[in-house]
């Protein structure tokens, strides 16, 4: 895992956009973002049991696997949004970027590769993209039935209970 401030320069979202200003795992934890490196899936199993995650699936994001919808899907994942559940992703192959908002509402880019696991808290604004390789294989973990419901950033989300709880816990 490598984390840094996003440079906000124009260009393909899949480029590194590395400003050169590093962000530590401790800084991420201050935003509620947890990072683990798990070379064995048994470690993922233990974390899932500890956090009450009973379901999982795997997704491959690549032009070969997704065909003509790949570019549209990658653009959709890159829309700033939040979820009302934690988002847990374990990278099984390839790499990609999760961008999260910091306390100053700036983007922090988190580069993940094989064996990296990230937990984003409910209510955090974020987005995802592959890197220039256009390939990531990820395991998604869920407490209940698998679902992925993005709520795109909009003023009305300020009153969303999950967003309000996130803000009070991490941004105040």
């Amino acid at each position: 895992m490598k984390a840094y401030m996003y440079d906000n320069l124009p260009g393909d979202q899949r480029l590194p956009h590395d400003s050169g200003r590093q962000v530590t795992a401790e800084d991420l934890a201050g935003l509620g973002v947890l990072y683990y490196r798990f070379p064995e899936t048994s470690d993922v199993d233990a974390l899932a049991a500890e956090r009450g995650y009973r379901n999982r699936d795997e997704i491959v994001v690549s032009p070969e696997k997704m065909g003509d919808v790949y570019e549209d899907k990658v653009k959709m994942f890159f829309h700033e949004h939040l979820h009302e559940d934690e988002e847990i992703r374990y990278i099984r192959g390839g790499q990609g970027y999760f961008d999260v908002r910091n306390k100053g509402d700036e983007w922090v880019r988190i580069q993940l590769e094989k064996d990296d696991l990230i937990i984003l808290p409910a209510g955090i604004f974020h987005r995802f993209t592959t890197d220039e390789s256009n390939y990531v294989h990820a395991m998604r973990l869920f407490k209940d039935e698998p679902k992925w419901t993005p709520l795109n950033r909009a003023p009305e989300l300020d009153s969303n209970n999950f967003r309000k709880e996130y803000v009070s816990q991490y941004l105040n």
Side-chain angles (χ1 to χ4, degrees):
M1 184 271 301
K2 177 181 177 184
Y4 51 86
M5 298 304 298
Y6 188 83
D7 66 12
N8 290 308
L9 296 175
D12 191 305
Q13 68 195 38
R14 292 167 275 207
L15 296 173
H17 288 279
D18 188 343
S19 68
R21 297 175 10 215
Q22 298 303 304
V23 174
T24 67
E26 293 77 26
D27 294 332
L28 293 175
L31 298 172
V33 176
L34 304 178
Y35 166 75
Y36 301 90
R37 180 132 181 106
F38 288 149
E40 304 296 329
T41 55
S42 59
D43 296 321
V44 177
D45 296 340
L47 181 73
E50 174 187 312
R51 295 182 79 88
Y53 283 80
R54 294 185 296 275
N55 289 303
R56 64 183 71 184
D57 67 10
E58 296 195 20
I59 182 172
V60 174
V61 180
S62 73
E64 292 76 23
K65 197 71 166 170
M66 301 174 93
D68 293 341
V69 301
Y70 172 76
E71 288 294 333
D72 289 337
K73 284 288 188 186
V74 169
K75 287 179 180 137
M76 182 189 79
F77 295 154
F78 201 64
H79 287 289
E80 182 174 5
H81 63 278
L82 63 79
H83 302 286
E84 294 181 337
D85 299 305
E86 282 185 338
E87 182 166 341
I88 298 182
R89 298 295 181 264
Y90 176 57
I91 306 303
R92 306 284 311 242
Q95 61 182 34
Y97 301 111
F98 274 93
D99 297 340
V100 298
R101 291 286 189 177
N102 70 7
K103 291 180 181 183
D105 207 32
E106 299 171 292
W107 285 116
V108 174
R109 174 150 278 192
I110 307 164
Q111 179 182 355
L112 299 175
E113 61 187 21
K114 184 179 183 321
D115 299 334
D116 288 340
L117 183 142
I118 192 169
I119 301 174
L120 302 180
I124 190 172
F125 284 119
H126 66 283
R127 60 191 185 188
F128 172 80
T129 189
T130 57
D131 69 357
E132 294 173 278
S133 72
N134 291 311
Y135 176 82
V136 68
H137 174 189
M139 179 186 293
R140 305 182 298 182
L141 291 92
F142 306 93
K143 288 190 178 187
D144 298 308
E145 291 303 312
K147 70 175 183 171
W148 188 84
T149 307
L151 302 175
N152 288 335
R153 188 167 187 173
E156 58 269 16
L157 280 180
D158 291 341
S159 63
N160 176 287
N161 287 335
F162 294 92
R163 178 65 183 164
K164 288 191 327 191
E165 184 175 328
Y166 174 78
V167 168
S168 71
Q169 189 170 0
Y170 295 105
L171 301 184
N172 286 332

